Amino acid sequence: MGVEDRAAINTGSFAAWEHVVCDRVMELAFGRSESGSFSGAFSSKDLLDTRFSRVAADRHYVSRERAAISRDASEHVLLSMLLEGEVTISQGDREARLVKGDIAIYDTTQPHRFVVTQPFAQVLVRLRRSEVIERVGHLNDLTARKLSSSRGMGLLISNLLHDVDYQLDHISAGAMRVVNTSMLDLICSGFGEIRTESHAHLREHQYRLMMRILAFVDQHLCDSELNCAVVATHFRISERYLRKLFSEGERSLSERIWHQRLEEAKRRLSAQGAFNKSITSVAFECGFKDTAHFSRAFKDKYGMTPREHRQRAVASQH
C-alpha cells in the first residue's frame, strides 16, 4: 500500500466524530461527560502498512472493550504523540498521563481507555502489531508507559515522526520500505529503553536471561509440554529462581504462557482460513491438553466461549 491522500475531515457532531475515528482507526466506544457543541478534526495518510493520522478534538473519552476486540480482528499497536492538551491512556494495570511532547503506545488486541481531559491534538501512528512484537517481544510491560520527547530516544523518535509525517508526499515508492523499517526500529528501541529502565534492579545477566526465556517461550508456545519445569531445565536454573526472576512483573511466567496461548488460540479462531478446523483442533495446536479447561479459560478471559467468538468472526467476514 502506498501513500493515500490526506483528506481532512472536520466535524461539529460527536456522532460523526465517532464514525470517522472508527472508520480510520478501529472499532471503539465513545462518550462525553458534558453536553453541548463538539469540534473534531481528523486526517490520515499511509506509509505502506503504517498509518499516520493527525487528530484534534474537544474533551471526550474512548474505550476498546473485549466485545469490540472479538468482532474486529485487526491487530495493531497505536502510538500517540501529543502535540497539545492532555490525555490519559490506561491499559492493563498501568496508566500514563500525557502532556505536550509525550509519547505512549497501546495494544489494540487488549482493552484500553483513552481519556481527553483537555482539548488536544496528536499525531497517531498505527503500526502492525506483528512488526512491533518482532522487534521488542511481548508488549505486556510497554503499553501505557510514557516516553518524554524532551531528550534522548524520545526526542529522536519525536523528530523522526514529525519529519516523516510532513514529508510523506515526497517519499519515493522505492524509499518507503527503508523509511518504514528505520522508523519502526527507532520506535521499538525507544520503548525497549523503558523496559531496561523498569528492570534496573536486575543485574545485566539476569535481564538478558529473562529476554532469552521469553524468546524461548514464544518459540515453543504451542508445545503442550511447555511449562516452568521445562523452561528451568532448559536454562539449567531452579524453578524457584525462575519464579523469582518474574516475580515483579505483571504476570508470572506460567500466567504469561497461558495468556499467550489464549491469544494465539483467539487469533487462529478468527482466521478465515481456519474456519473449517474444529475448536478442539485449534486448542490442541495451541498447546492446550484439556478442551474443557481451554473453554473455561477462554470465556473467563474474553467473556465468551471459543464457539461464540468464532461465530462472531465468521459473521464479521461475510
Side-chain angles (χ1 to χ4, degrees), residues 151-224:
R151 59 186 173 82
M153 291 297 292
L155 179 58
L156 290 175
I157 293 169
S158 175
N159 287 339
L160 178 61
L161 292 180
H162 277 297
D163 289 344
V164 173
D165 183 47
Y166 280 116
Q167 297 301 319
L168 274 175
D169 289 329
H170 309 291
I171 299 174
S172 68
M176 284 183 182
R177 192 159 300 282
V178 173
V179 172
N180 195 49
T181 299
S182 299
M183 181 185 65
L184 277 164
D185 288 343
L186 186 62
I187 290 171
C188 292
S189 294
F191 281 92
E193 279 197 354
I194 289 180
R195 175 175 288 155
T196 302
E197 291 169 1
S198 69
H199 290 90
H201 64 287
L202 294 173
R203 294 179 180 177
E204 185 177 351
H205 76 276
Q206 291 176 311
Y207 176 72
R208 288 201 304 267
L209 176 58
M210 285 182 67
M211 295 303 102
R212 287 170 58 209
I213 289 170
L214 290 174
F216 178 83
V217 167
D218 286 342
Q219 293 167 8
H220 298 85
L221 184 65
C222 295
D223 181 350
S224 62

Side-chain angles (χ1 to χ4, degrees), residues 81-87 98-103 121 148-150:
M81 181 171 70
L82 209 63
L83 304 176
E84 298 292 343
E86 180 180 304
V87 303
L98 274 58
V99 295
K100 183 177 180 178
D102 289 339
I103 303 169
S148 173
S149 64
S150 62

